[in-house]
Amino acid sequence: MVATPTERRVWQRYSRRERWTRFVLLLLVVAVLSWAARDVDIFWPWVWDAPAQIYSLADRMWPPDPRRLGEIVEALVETVHIATLATFSTIFVALPIAYLAAQNTTPNRACLWFARFVLVASRSVNTIIWALLFVAIFGPGVLAGILAIMCRSIGFVGKLMGEAIEEIDRRPVEAMEAVGASRPKVILYAVVPQVVPAFFAVIILRWDINIRESTVLGLVGAGGIGVILQGAIDTFAWPTVATILCGIVILVLLGEVLTGWLRSRVL
Amino acid sequence: MLEISQLVKRYGHDDPVLKGLDLCVEGNSVVSIVGASGAGKSTLLRCINRLIEPTSGSIRLNGQELSSLKGAPLRQARRRIGMVFQGFNLIDRLTVMENVLAGRLGYVGFFQAWRRRFPPEDIERAFHLMERVGIAQYANKRADELSGGERQRVGVVRALMQEPDILLADEPTASLDPVTSEQIMKLMRALASELSLPVLINIHNVAQARAYTERIVGLRHGRMIFDGTPERFDAAALEEIYGGIEAPDETAVPSVAEGGR
């Protein structure tokens, strides 16, 4: 039996201190937002003008011009090729880096920090900036695009695979050490089978992302559909631009469908 | 023959887990090591195949000193020491056959291991042993599709594939139900005499230790405080090993439990 309370018991979700902290945090967020909104310089007349501009642009784009369709499809295929080759070559660099970057497999601290530095460097530079760099080195073209996508992907794949390696069950590793297997054989039998599902998931996801990334590479001259898009925009060939945009949307959708199907088959 | 003398294992600056242990196992005897959790049973077994580095002392297997080995000689020594684990430690995504053949990894080259091109005599031995323990029909099944008892049989066969000079078993039945765990204990005892293999079993179940092994070693706080046949393992010994730490499985050892009262 529960004793009857002598006075009404009070229950509150937050203590006084917690309420004050939450209030101060809220004020801080509002302050940062209003500071940002005040600081950026938006030219408002252009904003009010936007509906008219949208109408005008749509008018100039319509109907899409299919005359350069053959060339556009060719460039779209090239875009996919860039993504595919870049994703494939990423594997050979990202997996060793992932191995070094995982706490439980790295040979020593120096390797760990080296690998982590590579991963952070790769991810902190945007694909377009990598592309600018490689266009400067190798000149405009597909090679610069492939290298740019690859450099950005190494960080992504390496980090996720490194985390997958860190999450493996240690017990099979112990068992393989106990049978007298050398380090490479321990990795082959105890580590690799455990990270295979993660590997396919990550590679398929990255291929999907790389298709989308490689569509803009052409803007800096690194090959793919972006080259034609840039040319069309520069010459105000808006109906052609419309065709290209439609092509990109269809390509990305197809990529989405294909990777979705692959994922469901592999996993 | 396994000879352990003055084995000490200390983690950091803590009290040693093993405090100068001496143990000698000869011939094809099945020895069980009992003791409460934290008594050092697991550490002892793992020091033998060097999954854990001993702090000091000597471990000799058939005359070879194991405690100072490094690199390739250590791996060669490990090939002759089979180990069965509490959690089976199988590679779930590989097939039963691949798991079993993994016991040969110390003997084959990297490329052979990678392409799964094991010598025909290894495959023959694998089938033979799998038939012996009744798992041959699962050869091409994934290891995680098997039940606990079947998985532990895979673990035992993997260890025997090594053609070991000694078999270590770290709580091989602790993750199994009572019936299955009896089967595994019977199997290990039978295999030990068939292959004339000395077996060292860490075990929590005192009744099983008495029933299936011919020698019981009792550890407490890193020291050996009992060493003798199951007949000599009486209430006093049980009290000495487990007393004041935790209640042993009293229903499983009625005579001992009654005598203790």
Side-chain angles (χ1 to χ4, degrees), chain B residues 97-160:
Chain B
M97 189 55 147
E98 283 171 305
N99 269 285
V100 166
L101 287 171
R104 298 300 296 174
L105 280 185
Y107 297 91
V108 300
F110 177 82
F111 189 76
Q112 275 180 298
W114 180 34
R115 305 302 308 161
R116 311 293 195 259
R117 293 238 176 87
F118 288 85
E121 58 269 23
D122 287 1
I123 291 166
E124 189 47 47
R125 182 176 168 81
F127 273 122
H128 174 74
L129 285 169
M130 286 196 289
E131 274 157 15
R132 168 65 186 85
V133 306
I135 53 168
Q137 69 273 30
Y138 302 134
N140 287 319
K141 269 200 166 188
R142 257 172 63 155
D144 55 3
E145 291 176 43
L146 270 54
S147 71
E150 290 159 353
R151 285 160 66 77
Q152 192 57 294
R153 283 162 210 261
V154 177
V156 171
V157 170
R158 175 174 68 190
L160 295 179

Side-chain angles (χ1 to χ4, degrees), chain A residues 87-223:
Chain A
T87 311
F88 182 72
S89 27
T90 296
I91 296 171
F92 298 96
V93 186
L95 289 188
I97 297 276
Y99 175 79
L100 297 180
Q103 295 258 9
N104 52 346
T105 52
T106 188
N108 54 53
R109 305 302 293 174
C111 287
L112 181 72
W113 288 109
F114 165 74
R116 294 205 164 159
F117 172 76
V118 171
L119 294 185
V120 169
S122 157
R123 283 183 306 134
S124 55
V125 179
N126 191 284
T127 307
I128 285 291
I129 297 169
W130 280 120
L132 277 170
L133 229 88
F134 286 117
V135 167
I137 297 170
F138 296 102
V142 185
L143 179 64
I146 292 174
L147 289 173
I149 298 263
M150 195 181 141
C151 279
R152 177 64 184 78
S153 302
I154 287 167
F156 183 91
V157 175
K159 183 173 169 58
L160 290 178
M161 286 314 292
E163 281 170 5
I165 293 172
E166 282 178 355
E167 278 165 21
I168 61 167
D169 182 358
R170 232 208 80 76
R171 291 175 304 175
V173 177
E174 186 189 36
M176 291 302 99
E177 282 167 359
V179 303
S182 60
R183 194 77 201 135
K185 284 183 257 177
V186 172
I187 293 162
L188 191 64
Y189 270 71
V191 180
V192 171
Q194 294 195 59
V195 298
V196 159
F199 171 75
F200 281 111
V202 168
I203 288 301
I204 290 168
L205 174 61
R206 191 62 219 186
W207 184 67
D208 187 21
I209 296 171
N210 282 348
I211 288 177
R212 277 174 272 145
E213 297 230 309
S214 58
T215 56
V216 294
L217 283 176
L219 299 184
V220 292

